[in-house]
Amino acid sequence: MGKLFHNLLEKVFNDLNAFIEEYDAECDEQGGIRIANQDIKIVGQAALLLADLPFPLLGTMDLDVINKIPFIIQKKLNELLLKNRMYLDPDGIKAWMPDNTHYLPLFNLSRLQVSFADPASVVLSKARCNRMKDRVIVENYLQHFPAFKNELEKL
Amino acid sequence: MNLITEKVIQRLVYEGLLFSNEIQGRKRPIKLEEVLMAGRDEPRTLEVLPALLLHRPTAIRDLKKSLKNHPEIDGFIRQMKLGKVTRTKFLGLEAADCLKHAQHFEHCLRETNNTRKSQVFNLRISPEEFAILQKLTRTLNQKGLSETVRYLIRETEQKLSSETT
């Protein structure tokens, strides 16, 4: 099932990539400012779903992107996500992530590089927020990756 | 994971309120008590509960009766209906998150109704195939033949999609 989520995002980001290519082609023909190549960094529950973790995980339908992306890309991405009953969480950018977070490559497209935060950093971020809904995830992660306890103690 | 939690998640995934890395969506009848029980294992089931109660109340059996036993849930849903939510928490979760999911779910349902109207097709199938379809409808506990066809399309698509990856 984690693969289904991966496939869904693959389609969404391929469509977004095609949109940027078309937009730029139009700018070249008619004049206008081209869209620069974009980096998209996924965090939150979506990053955990992409990480193929060895325990059951649930995610709501929002996608958290931590880096700033131009408004036109946000709008198009949200529109593409909506077709799949998902949405771009406007609060994604406010998320706290550890300084040493690694972003693992997900899709390397002609105009888009999409990556997702490593699961340990995401769980650490959830542990710091200390929300009731995330406690089960932190416990499950500790159970499967006992070395994570050292990271938690540093918080 | 216990069977009740699994059943609740199956329904919430089916409704498009949750994603799961292990559980596929199934249209299974659920009760409010079961959602509350599932919430102990997976609090995200509670986070999307207001969305379900507001916009898909028929997904929950004997809802009116169950809500009488849970005035705090009933009160929150009433506030949401009126657009006057004063509480900051819903069953220990952030009320703002519940509202966000409910608004998004409503938006999706409206989009689906506007853009994805079902279409009528004439299908040519043999009497034997028709009999199988009727048998499947009974076995899968579906409402009618159309519902069975929709179920089979979804299941086959999900199966093929996981095989190709």
Side-chain angles (χ1 to χ4, degrees):
Chain A
M1 277 300 281
K3 291 284 177 197
L4 281 181
F5 186 63
H6 179 280
N7 292 351
L8 187 154
L9 288 186
E10 189 174 21
K11 191 178 178 317
V12 166
F13 284 112
N14 270 313
D15 289 349
L16 185 62
N17 192 64
F19 165 78
I20 300 174
E21 283 179 346
E22 273 171 41
Y23 184 91
D24 282 354
E26 230 169 88
C27 283
D28 290 343
E29 265 179 39
Q30 298 174 16
I33 302 168
R34 289 170 61 101
I35 299 173
N37 285 4
Q38 295 295 315
D39 259 335
I40 292 188
K41 291 177 175 166
I42 298 171
V43 294
Q45 203 71 4
L48 291 182
L49 281 167
L50 288 164
D52 217 7
L53 291 171
F55 52 85
L57 265 175
L58 284 186
T60 42
M61 308 306 281
D62 52 323
L63 183 79
D64 295 313
V65 172
I66 195 154
N67 57 315
K68 271 188 185 172
I69 45 177
F71 178 69
I72 187 170
I73 303 293
Q74 283 180 40
K75 202 165 171 278
K76 188 66 191 178
L77 178 55
N78 202 33
E79 190 185 308
L80 293 168
L81 287 169
L82 266 174
K83 284 184 187 168
N84 295 285
R85 295 191 149 218
M86 290 184 72
Y87 66 100
L88 183 67
D89 193 332
D91 295 331
I93 202 158
K94 295 179 191 163
W96 174 87
M97 290 300 289
D99 291 338
N100 57 352
T101 303
H102 292 292
Y103 288 91
L104 311 165
L106 184 62
F107 309 119
N108 191 9
L109 306 168
S110 60
R111 307 300 312 278
L112 274 179
Q113 273 71 51
V114 186
S115 53
F116 63 100
D118 66 287
S121 299
V122 177
V123 179
L124 205 59
S125 145
K126 287 183 181 292
R128 190 178 186 252
C129 290
N130 195 24
R131 293 180 300 189
M132 178 195 136
K133 64 177 179 179
D134 293 325
R135 278 178 208 159
V136 181
I137 296 168
V138 179
E139 281 166 20
N140 278 338
Y141 196 82
L142 257 177
Q143 207 180 327
H144 287 83
F145 305 97
F148 181 65
K149 201 177 172 190
N150 301 331
E151 297 293 315
L152 270 184
E153 280 165 1
K154 283 182 213 164
L155 267 185
Chain B
M1 184 181 289
N2 74 53
L3 289 175
I4 290 178
T5 304
E6 190 179 336
K7 186 172 88 163
V8 170
I9 294 172
Q10 283 176 338
R11 181 65 193 232
L12 296 174
V13 170
Y14 171 86
E15 294 293 347
L17 280 162
L18 287 177
F19 269 116
S20 164
N21 63 342
E22 288 191 354
I23 298 169
Q24 293 199 357
R26 283 261 156 87
K27 192 178 181 181
R28 300 184 68 180
I30 50 173
K31 292 180 183 168
L32 183 61
E33 298 298 337
E34 292 175 330
V35 184
L36 297 176
M37 278 169 75
R40 286 182 215 146
D41 292 336
E42 287 287 359
R44 277 181 170 75
T45 54
L46 299 179
E47 200 177 60
V48 296
L49 177 61
L52 191 72
L53 293 178
L54 265 180
H55 305 298
R56 271 272 193 270
T58 50
I60 299 198
R61 271 189 182 171
D62 302 326
L63 181 61
K64 274 189 183 171
K65 210 166 124 190
S66 306
L67 278 176
K68 281 182 188 160
N69 300 326
H70 297 281
E72 76 286 7
I73 300 177
D74 195 23
F76 187 74
I77 299 305
R78 282 175 197 275
Q79 285 191 350
M80 280 181 82
K81 273 184 191 164
L82 296 169
K84 290 175 183 168
V85 176
T86 52
R87 298 184 200 178
T88 53
K89 295 276 180 187
F90 171 72
L91 303 175
L93 298 158
E94 294 298 322
D97 288 342
C98 301
L99 278 173
K100 203 155 63 175
H101 297 312
Q103 280 164 358
H104 169 69
F105 189 54
E106 184 190 11
H107 182 71
C108 284
L109 290 177
R110 232 184 8 242
E111 284 287 304
T112 310
N113 288 342
N114 289 345
T115 57
R116 295 188 202 167
K117 293 253 186 243
S118 24
Q119 293 178 25
V120 178
F121 287 99
N122 288 320
L123 291 178
R124 192 170 285 275
I125 56 173
S126 69
E128 291 79 16
E129 286 163 337
F130 184 69
I132 293 170
L133 194 60
Q134 282 182 314
K135 196 178 158 193
L136 278 170
T137 304
R138 285 192 297 274
T139 317
L140 296 168
N141 199 21
Q142 301 292 329
K143 272 191 218 158
L145 300 180
S146 300
E147 188 70 21
T148 310
V149 172
R150 281 197 286 267
Y151 174 84
L152 295 172
I153 291 170
R154 262 195 322 271
E155 289 288 305
T156 314
E157 204 268 334
Q158 282 190 349
K159 199 176 154 210
L160 286 174
S161 170
S162 27
E163 274 171 12
T164 51
T165 51

